[in-house]
Amino acid sequence: MKLPRYLQIALLITGLLVLYSLIGDEEPASMPLSVINPLSQNAHTRSADQHHRQSVSESKSDDFIDLFPSAIKSAALEQSQEVSIATKQSQRQEAAIVVPPLPFQLVGAWWSNHQRTLMLQAEDQQWIICRRCRAAKRVWTGMKLTDDWQLKSVSADSLTFIWLPQMQEQHLALGDMKSEPKFNYDK
């Protein structure tokens, strides 16, 4: 069966318009809300439209993708999306566990034979940090100081601790206890 010439032309124009609408970057211009007159619709059409909007807004979830977005969105739908975004952000912030501040304070340092010895304190406990000293309760790198804190390393300008529940590192700066003080006895 052969199609008449006018149907072939109409089919070709329809196909070109479909391709143009798929490829075109421009979004269709929406009608302003003042042009739409809800009173001109009959009661049956309005109730069906309201029922459809309610069912769509109730069925929307976080993973919902609107394949056919309309130019007119209800304010309640936009507000519910804003509320859900704000709720997700607050849940993410609560989920991120904050590392507590270091309970340790550096209370002193002394040098003997070019060897630095540091005194560390937390509440009523004290520790001596040194490499070659013969102190009874000295601390080595890798030792647990409390149930939640471990000394990871000692560098020239800071002490590195690990908070064990989340394996997070924190540094304690040595400040002016980095180098041996020089005393000038000549006056």
Side-chain angles (χ1 to χ4, degrees):
M1 178 174 128
K2 186 175 180 184
L3 289 175
R5 175 74 70 197
Y6 70 91
L7 286 179
Q8 291 176 354
I9 293 172
L11 186 61
L12 179 67
I13 290 173
T14 303
L16 291 175
L17 289 175
V18 168
L19 284 175
Y20 176 75
S21 68
L22 291 175
I23 296 174
D25 290 336
E26 297 180 25
E27 292 190 21
S30 62
M31 294 178 65
L33 294 176
S34 61
V35 174
I36 300 173
N37 186 1
L39 298 176
S40 65
Q41 299 175 342
N42 62 21
H44 176 53
T45 307
R46 278 184 288 184
S47 65
D49 188 34
Q50 289 174 351
H51 176 69
H52 174 70
R53 285 184 189 165
Q54 287 176 351
S55 65
V56 168
S57 66
E58 291 172 1
S59 67
K60 285 201 175 194
S61 67
D62 295 335
D63 299 328
F64 179 77
I65 298 173
D66 192 3
L67 296 177
F68 304 100
S70 65
I72 303 171
K73 288 189 176 181
S74 67
L77 178 63
E78 291 177 6
Q79 289 176 350
S80 68
Q81 289 174 347
E82 291 174 4
V83 168
S84 67
I85 290 171
T87 305
K88 284 181 185 178
Q89 290 175 348
S90 66
Q91 288 173 350
R92 287 182 193 146
Q93 291 174 352
E94 290 173 3
I97 296 176
V98 178
V99 178
L102 277 172
F104 307 109
Q105 294 177 349
L106 196 59
V107 292
W110 67 90
W111 284 260
S112 176
N113 298 329
H114 303 291
Q115 167 69 34
R116 178 179 61 189
T117 304
L118 300 169
M119 179 65 94
L120 194 66
Q121 180 178 351
E123 295 178 8
D124 59 344
Q125 293 181 320
Q126 293 181 345
W127 299 273
I128 297 173
I129 301 173
C130 63
R131 292 187 187 185
R132 291 178 274 174
C133 67
R134 297 178 192 256
K137 293 185 178 180
R138 67 179 176 264
V139 176
W140 298 85
T141 57
M143 291 181 71
K144 284 178 61 174
L145 300 175
T146 64
D147 291 337
D148 294 336
W149 293 96
Q150 176 182 4
L151 179 66
K152 180 181 179 184
S153 65
V154 179
S155 67
D157 56 350
S158 69
L159 299 174
T160 304
F161 297 94
I162 296 177
W163 186 52
L164 296 174
Q166 291 293 321
M167 299 304 288
Q168 298 286 330
E169 289 187 8
Q170 283 201 8
H171 301 281
L172 178 64
L174 297 181
D176 60 348
M177 298 180 198
K178 294 178 186 177
S179 61
E180 184 174 0
K182 305 288 184 195
F183 296 107
N184 190 359
Y185 295 109
D186 299 330
K187 286 193 175 187

Coordinates of all heavy atoms in Angstrom, one line a residue, residues 20-91:
Y20 N 13.6 17.7 16.5 CA 14.0 19.1 16.9 C 13.7 19.3 18.4 O 14.5 19.9 19.2 CB 13.2 20.1 16.1 CG 13.5 21.5 16.6 CD1 14.7 22.2 16.3 CD2 12.5 22.2 17.3 CE1 14.9 23.5 16.7 CE2 12.7 23.5 17.8 CZ 13.9 24.1 17.5 OH 14.2 25.4 17.9
S21 N 12.5 18.7 18.9 CA 12.2 18.9 20.3 C 13.1 18.1 21.2 O 13.4 18.5 22.3 CB 10.7 18.5 20.5 OG 10.6 17.1 20.4
L22 N 13.6 17.0 20.7 CA 14.6 16.2 21.5 C 16.0 16.8 21.6 O 16.6 16.7 22.6 CB 14.7 14.7 21.0 CG 13.4 13.9 21.1 CD1 13.6 12.5 20.4 CD2 13.1 13.7 22.6
I23 N 16.4 17.4 20.5 CA 17.7 17.9 20.4 C 17.8 19.4 20.8 O 18.8 19.8 21.4 CB 18.2 17.8 18.9 CG1 18.4 16.3 18.5 CG2 19.6 18.5 18.7 CD1 18.7 16.1 17.1
G24 N 16.7 20.1 20.7 CA 16.7 21.6 21.0 C 17.1 21.8 22.5 O 16.6 21.1 23.4
D25 N 17.9 22.8 22.7 CA 18.4 23.1 24.1 C 17.4 24.0 24.8 O 17.5 24.2 26.0 CB 19.7 23.8 24.1 CG 20.8 22.8 23.7 OD1 20.6 21.6 23.8 OD2 21.9 23.3 23.2
E26 N 16.5 24.7 24.1 CA 15.6 25.6 24.7 C 14.5 24.9 25.4 O 14.0 23.9 24.9 CB 15.0 26.5 23.6 CG 16.1 27.4 22.9 CD 15.4 28.3 21.9 OE1 14.2 28.6 22.0 OE2 16.1 28.7 20.9
E27 N 14.2 25.4 26.6 CA 13.1 24.9 27.3 C 11.8 25.6 26.8 O 11.8 26.8 26.5 CB 13.3 25.1 28.8 CG 14.4 24.3 29.4 CD 14.4 24.3 30.9 OE1 13.3 24.6 31.5 OE2 15.4 24.0 31.5
P28 N 10.7 24.9 26.8 CA 9.5 25.5 26.3 C 9.1 26.6 27.3 O 9.2 26.5 28.5 CB 8.5 24.4 26.3 CG 9.0 23.4 27.3 CD 10.5 23.5 27.2
A29 N 8.6 27.7 26.8 CA 8.1 28.8 27.6 C 6.8 28.4 28.3 O 5.9 28.0 27.6 CB 7.9 30.1 26.7
S30 N 6.8 28.6 29.6 CA 5.6 28.3 30.3 C 4.6 29.4 30.3 O 5.0 30.6 30.3 CB 6.0 27.8 31.7 OG 6.5 28.9 32.4
M31 N 3.4 29.1 30.5 CA 2.4 30.2 30.5 C 2.4 30.8 31.9 O 2.6 30.1 32.9 CB 1.0 29.6 30.3 CG 0.8 29.0 28.9 SD -0.8 28.3 28.6 CE -1.8 29.7 28.8
P32 N 2.3 32.1 32.0 CA 2.3 32.7 33.3 C 1.0 32.3 34.0 O 0.0 32.0 33.4 CB 2.3 34.2 33.0 CG 2.0 34.4 31.6 CD 2.3 33.1 30.9
L33 N 1.1 32.3 35.3 CA 0.0 31.9 36.2 C -1.3 32.8 36.0 O -2.4 32.3 36.2 CB 0.4 31.8 37.6 CG 1.4 30.8 38.0 CD1 1.8 30.9 39.5 CD2 0.9 29.4 37.7
S34 N -1.1 34.0 35.6 CA -2.2 34.9 35.5 C -3.0 34.6 34.3 O -4.2 34.9 34.2 CB -1.7 36.4 35.4 OG -0.9 36.5 34.3
V35 N -2.5 33.9 33.3 CA -3.2 33.5 32.1 C -4.1 32.3 32.3 O -5.2 32.2 31.7 CB -2.2 33.2 30.9 CG1 -2.9 32.7 29.7 CG2 -1.4 34.4 30.6
I36 N -3.7 31.4 33.2 CA -4.5 30.3 33.5 C -5.6 30.6 34.4 O -5.5 31.2 35.4 CB -3.6 29.2 34.2 CG1 -2.5 28.8 33.3 CG2 -4.5 28.0 34.5 CD1 -1.5 27.9 33.9
N37 N -6.8 30.3 34.0 CA -8.0 30.6 34.7 C -8.6 29.3 35.3 O -9.2 28.6 34.5 CB -9.0 31.4 33.9 CG -10.2 31.8 34.6 OD1 -10.3 31.6 35.9 ND2 -11.2 32.5 33.9
P38 N -8.5 29.1 36.6 CA -9.0 27.8 37.1 C -10.5 27.7 37.1 O -11.1 26.7 37.1 CB -8.5 27.8 38.5 CG -8.2 29.2 38.9 CD -7.8 29.9 37.6
L39 N -11.2 28.9 36.9 CA -12.7 28.9 36.9 C -13.2 28.4 35.6 O -14.3 28.0 35.5 CB -13.2 30.3 37.2 CG -12.9 30.8 38.6 CD1 -13.4 32.2 38.8 CD2 -13.4 29.9 39.7
S40 N -12.4 28.5 34.5 CA -12.8 28.0 33.2 C -12.9 26.5 33.1 O -13.5 26.0 32.2 CB -12.0 28.7 32.1 OG -10.7 28.1 32.2
Q41 N -12.1 25.8 33.9 CA -12.2 24.4 33.9 C -13.4 23.9 34.5 O -14.0 24.5 35.5 CB -11.0 23.8 34.6 CG -9.6 24.2 34.1 CD -8.5 23.6 35.0 OE1 -8.7 23.3 36.1 NE2 -7.3 23.6 34.4
N42 N -13.9 22.7 34.0 CA -15.1 22.2 34.7 C -14.8 21.5 36.0 O -13.6 21.2 36.3 CB -15.9 21.3 33.7 CG -15.1 20.1 33.3 OD1 -14.1 19.7 34.0 ND2 -15.5 19.5 32.2
A43 N -15.7 21.2 36.8 CA -15.5 20.7 38.1 C -14.9 19.3 38.1 O -14.0 19.0 38.9 CB -16.8 20.6 38.9
H44 N -15.2 18.5 37.1 CA -14.7 17.1 37.0 C -13.2 17.2 36.7 O -12.4 16.5 37.3 CB -15.4 16.4 35.9 CG -14.9 15.0 35.7 ND1 -14.7 14.1 36.7 CD2 -14.4 14.4 34.5 CE1 -14.2 13.0 36.2 NE2 -14.0 13.2 34.9
T45 N -12.8 18.1 35.8 CA -11.4 18.2 35.4 C -10.6 18.7 36.6 O -9.5 18.2 36.9 CB -11.2 19.1 34.2 OG1 -12.0 18.7 33.2 CG2 -9.8 19.2 33.8
R46 N -11.1 19.7 37.4 CA -10.4 20.2 38.5 C -10.2 19.2 39.6 O -9.1 19.0 40.2 CB -11.1 21.4 39.1 CG -10.8 22.7 38.3 CD -11.4 23.8 39.0 NE -12.9 23.7 38.7 CZ -13.8 24.5 39.1 NH1 -13.5 25.6 39.8 NH2 -15.1 24.4 38.8
S47 N -11.2 18.4 39.9 CA -11.1 17.4 41.0 C -10.1 16.3 40.6 O -9.4 15.8 41.4 CB -12.5 16.8 41.4 OG -13.0 16.1 40.3
A48 N -10.1 15.9 39.3 CA -9.2 14.9 38.9 C -7.8 15.4 38.9 O -6.9 14.7 39.3 CB -9.6 14.4 37.4
D49 N -7.6 16.7 38.6 CA -6.3 17.3 38.6 C -5.8 17.4 40.0 O -4.6 17.1 40.3 CB -6.3 18.7 37.9 CG -4.9 19.2 37.8 OD1 -4.0 18.5 37.5 OD2 -4.8 20.5 37.9
Q50 N -6.6 17.8 41.0 CA -6.2 17.9 42.4 C -5.9 16.5 43.0 O -5.0 16.4 43.7 CB -7.3 18.6 43.2 CG -7.5 20.0 42.9 CD -8.7 20.6 43.6 OE1 -9.5 19.9 44.2 NE2 -8.8 22.0 43.6
H51 N -6.7 15.5 42.6 CA -6.4 14.2 43.1 C -5.1 13.7 42.5 O -4.3 13.0 43.3 CB -7.6 13.2 42.6 CG -7.3 11.8 43.0 ND1 -7.4 11.3 44.3 CD2 -7.0 10.7 42.2 CE1 -7.1 10.1 44.3 NE2 -6.9 9.6 43.1
H52 N -4.8 14.0 41.3 CA -3.5 13.6 40.7 C -2.3 14.2 41.4 O -1.3 13.6 41.7 CB -3.5 13.9 39.2 CG -2.2 13.7 38.5 ND1 -1.7 12.4 38.3 CD2 -1.2 14.5 38.1 CE1 -0.5 12.5 37.7 NE2 -0.2 13.7 37.6
R53 N -2.5 15.6 41.7 CA -1.4 16.3 42.4 C -1.2 15.7 43.8 O 0.0 15.6 44.2 CB -1.7 17.8 42.5 CG -1.6 18.5 41.2 CD -1.8 20.0 41.4 NE -1.9 20.7 40.1 CZ -2.4 21.9 40.0 NH1 -2.8 22.5 41.0 NH2 -2.4 22.4 38.8
Q54 N -2.2 15.4 44.5 CA -2.1 14.8 45.8 C -1.4 13.4 45.8 O -0.5 13.1 46.6 CB -3.5 14.6 46.5 CG -4.0 16.0 46.9 CD -5.4 15.8 47.5 OE1 -6.0 14.7 47.4 NE2 -6.0 16.9 48.1
S55 N -1.8 12.6 44.8 CA -1.2 11.3 44.7 C 0.3 11.4 44.3 O 1.1 10.6 44.8 CB -2.0 10.4 43.7 OG -1.9 10.9 42.4
V56 N 0.6 12.3 43.5 CA 2.0 12.5 43.1 C 2.8 13.0 44.2 O 3.9 12.5 44.5 CB 2.1 13.4 41.8 CG1 3.5 13.8 41.6 CG2 1.6 12.8 40.6
S57 N 2.3 14.0 45.0 CA 3.1 14.5 46.1 C 3.2 13.5 47.2 O 4.2 13.5 47.9 CB 2.4 15.8 46.6 OG 1.2 15.5 47.2
E58 N 2.2 12.6 47.4 CA 2.3 11.6 48.4 C 3.3 10.5 48.0 O 4.0 9.9 48.8 CB 1.0 11.0 48.7 CG 0.0 11.9 49.4 CD -1.4 11.4 49.5 OE1 -1.6 10.2 49.0 OE2 -2.3 12.1 50.0
S59 N 3.4 10.2 46.7 CA 4.3 9.1 46.3 C 5.7 9.5 46.1 O 6.6 8.7 45.8 CB 3.7 8.5 45.0 OG 3.9 9.5 43.9
K60 N 6.0 10.8 46.2 CA 7.4 11.3 46.0 C 8.2 10.8 47.1 O 7.9 11.0 48.3 CB 7.5 12.8 45.8 CG 7.0 13.2 44.5 CD 7.5 14.6 44.1 CE 7.1 14.9 42.7 NZ 7.7 16.0 42.2
S61 N 9.4 10.3 46.9 CA 10.4 10.0 47.9 C 11.7 10.6 47.6 O 11.8 11.4 46.6 CB 10.5 8.4 48.0 OG 11.1 8.0 46.8
D62 N 12.7 10.3 48.4 CA 14.0 10.9 48.2 C 14.6 10.5 46.8 O 15.4 11.2 46.2 CB 14.9 10.6 49.3 CG 14.5 11.2 50.6 OD1 13.8 12.2 50.6 OD2 14.8 10.6 51.7
D63 N 14.3 9.3 46.4 CA 14.9 8.7 45.2 C 14.1 9.0 44.0 O 14.4 8.5 42.9 CB 15.2 7.2 45.3 CG 16.1 6.9 46.5 OD1 17.0 7.7 46.7 OD2 15.9 5.9 47.1
F64 N 13.0 9.7 44.1 CA 12.0 9.9 43.0 C 12.6 10.9 42.0 O 13.2 11.9 42.4 CB 10.7 10.5 43.6 CG 9.7 10.8 42.5 CD1 9.0 9.7 41.9 CD2 9.5 12.1 42.1 CE1 8.1 10.0 40.9 CE2 8.5 12.3 41.1 CZ 7.8 11.3 40.5
I65 N 12.6 10.6 40.7 CA 13.0 11.4 39.7 C 11.8 11.8 38.8 O 11.1 10.9 38.3 CB 14.1 10.8 38.8 CG1 15.3 10.5 39.7 CG2 14.5 11.6 37.6 CD1 16.4 9.7 38.9
D66 N 11.5 13.0 38.7 CA 10.3 13.5 37.9 C 10.7 13.5 36.5 O 11.4 14.4 36.0 CB 9.9 14.8 38.4 CG 8.5 15.2 37.9 OD1 7.9 14.4 37.2 OD2 8.1 16.3 38.2
L67 N 10.2 12.5 35.7 CA 10.5 12.4 34.3 C 9.8 13.5 33.4 O 10.2 13.9 32.4 CB 10.2 11.0 33.7 CG 11.1 9.9 34.3 CD1 10.6 8.6 33.8 CD2 12.5 10.2 34.0
F68 N 8.6 13.9 33.9 CA 7.8 14.8 33.2 C 7.5 16.0 34.1 O 6.4 16.2 34.6 CB 6.5 14.2 32.7 CG 6.7 13.0 31.9 CD1 6.6 11.7 32.5 CD2 7.1 13.1 30.6 CE1 6.9 10.6 31.7 CE2 7.3 12.0 29.8 CZ 7.2 10.7 30.4
P69 N 8.5 16.9 34.4 CA 8.2 18.0 35.3 C 7.3 19.0 34.7 O 7.3 19.3 33.5 CB 9.6 18.6 35.5 CG 10.4 18.2 34.3 CD 9.8 16.9 33.8
S70 N 6.4 19.5 35.5 CA 5.5 20.5 35.0 C 6.0 21.9 35.2 O 6.9 22.1 36.1 CB 4.1 20.4 35.6 OG 4.2 20.6 37.0
A71 N 5.5 22.9 34.5 CA 5.9 24.2 34.7 C 5.4 24.8 36.0 O 5.9 25.8 36.6 CB 5.5 25.1 33.5
I72 N 4.3 24.3 36.5 CA 3.6 24.8 37.7 C 3.9 23.8 38.8 O 3.4 22.6 38.7 CB 2.1 25.0 37.5 CG1 1.9 25.9 36.3 CG2 1.5 25.5 38.7 CD1 0.5 26.0 35.9
K73 N 4.6 24.2 39.8 CA 4.8 23.3 41.0 C 4.1 23.9 42.2 O 4.1 25.1 42.4 CB 6.3 23.1 41.3 CG 7.0 22.3 40.3 CD 8.4 22.0 40.8 CE 9.1 21.1 39.8 NZ 10.5 20.8 40.2
S74 N 3.6 23.0 43.0 CA 2.9 23.5 44.2 C 3.9 24.0 45.2 O 5.0 23.4 45.3 CB 2.0 22.5 44.8 OG 2.8 21.4 45.3
A75 N 3.5 25.0 46.0 CA 4.5 25.5 47.0 C 4.7 24.5 48.1 O 5.8 24.4 48.6 CB 3.9 26.8 47.6
A76 N 3.7 23.7 48.4 CA 3.9 22.7 49.4 C 4.9 21.7 49.0 O 5.7 21.2 49.9 CB 2.5 22.0 49.7
L77 N 4.9 21.3 47.8 CA 5.9 20.3 47.3 C 7.3 20.9 47.4 O 8.2 20.2 47.9 CB 5.6 19.9 45.8 CG 6.6 18.9 45.2 CD1 6.6 17.6 45.9 CD2 6.2 18.7 43.7
E78 N 7.5 22.1 47.0 CA 8.8 22.7 47.1 C 9.3 22.9 48.5 O 10.5 22.6 48.9 CB 8.8 24.1 46.4 CG 8.7 24.0 44.9 CD 8.6 25.4 44.2 OE1 8.8 26.4 44.9 OE2 8.4 25.4 43.0
Q79 N 8.4 23.2 49.4 CA 8.7 23.4 50.8 C 9.1 22.0 51.4 O 10.0 21.9 52.2 CB 7.6 24.0 51.6 CG 7.4 25.4 51.4 CD 6.2 26.0 52.1 OE1 5.4 25.3 52.6 NE2 6.0 27.3 52.0
S80 N 8.3 21.0 51.1 CA 8.7 19.6 51.6 C 10.0 19.2 51.1 O 10.8 18.5 51.8 CB 7.6 18.6 51.2 OG 7.6 18.4 49.8
Q81 N 10.4 19.5 49.9 CA 11.7 19.2 49.4 C 12.8 19.9 50.1 O 13.8 19.4 50.5 CB 11.8 19.4 47.9 CG 11.0 18.5 47.0 CD 11.0 18.9 45.6 OE1 11.4 20.0 45.2 NE2 10.6 17.9 44.7
E82 N 12.6 21.2 50.4 CA 13.5 22.0 51.2 C 13.7 21.4 52.6 O 14.8 21.4 53.1 CB 13.1 23.4 51.3 CG 13.2 24.2 49.9 CD 12.6 25.6 50.0 OE1 12.2 26.0 51.1 OE2 12.5 26.2 48.9
V83 N 12.6 21.0 53.2 CA 12.7 20.5 54.6 C 13.4 19.1 54.6 O 14.2 18.9 55.4 CB 11.2 20.3 55.1 CG1 11.3 19.4 56.4 CG2 10.6 21.6 55.4
S84 N 13.2 18.3 53.5 CA 13.9 17.0 53.5 C 15.4 17.2 53.2 O 16.2 16.5 53.8 CB 13.3 16.1 52.4 OG 13.5 16.7 51.1
I85 N 15.8 18.2 52.5 CA 17.2 18.5 52.2 C 17.8 19.0 53.5 O 18.9 18.6 53.9 CB 17.3 19.6 51.1 CG1 17.0 19.0 49.8 CG2 18.8 20.1 51.1 CD1 16.9 19.9 48.6
A86 N 17.1 19.9 54.3 CA 17.7 20.4 55.5 C 17.8 19.3 56.5 O 18.8 19.2 57.3 CB 16.8 21.5 56.1
T87 N 16.9 18.3 56.6 CA 16.9 17.2 57.5 C 18.1 16.3 57.1 O 18.8 15.8 58.0 CB 15.6 16.4 57.4 OG1 14.5 17.2 57.6 CG2 15.6 15.2 58.4
K88 N 18.3 16.1 55.8 CA 19.5 15.2 55.4 C 20.8 15.9 55.9 O 21.7 15.2 56.3 CB 19.5 15.0 53.9 CG 18.5 14.0 53.4 CD 18.6 13.9 51.9 CE 17.5 13.1 51.3 NZ 17.6 13.0 49.9
Q89 N 20.9 17.2 55.7 CA 22.2 17.9 56.1 C 22.4 17.8 57.6 O 23.5 17.6 58.0 CB 22.1 19.3 55.6 CG 22.2 19.5 54.1 CD 22.1 20.9 53.6 OE1 21.7 21.8 54.4 NE2 22.3 21.2 52.4
S90 N 21.3 18.0 58.4 CA 21.5 17.9 59.8 C 21.9 16.5 60.2 O 22.7 16.3 61.2 CB 20.3 18.4 60.5 OG 19.2 17.5 60.3
Q91 N 21.3 15.4 59.6 CA 21.7 14.1 59.9 C 23.1 13.8 59.5 O 23.8 13.1 60.3 CB 20.8 13.1 59.2 CG 19.4 13.1 59.7 CD 18.4 12.2 58.8 OE1 18.8 11.8 57.7 NE2 17.2 12.0 59.3

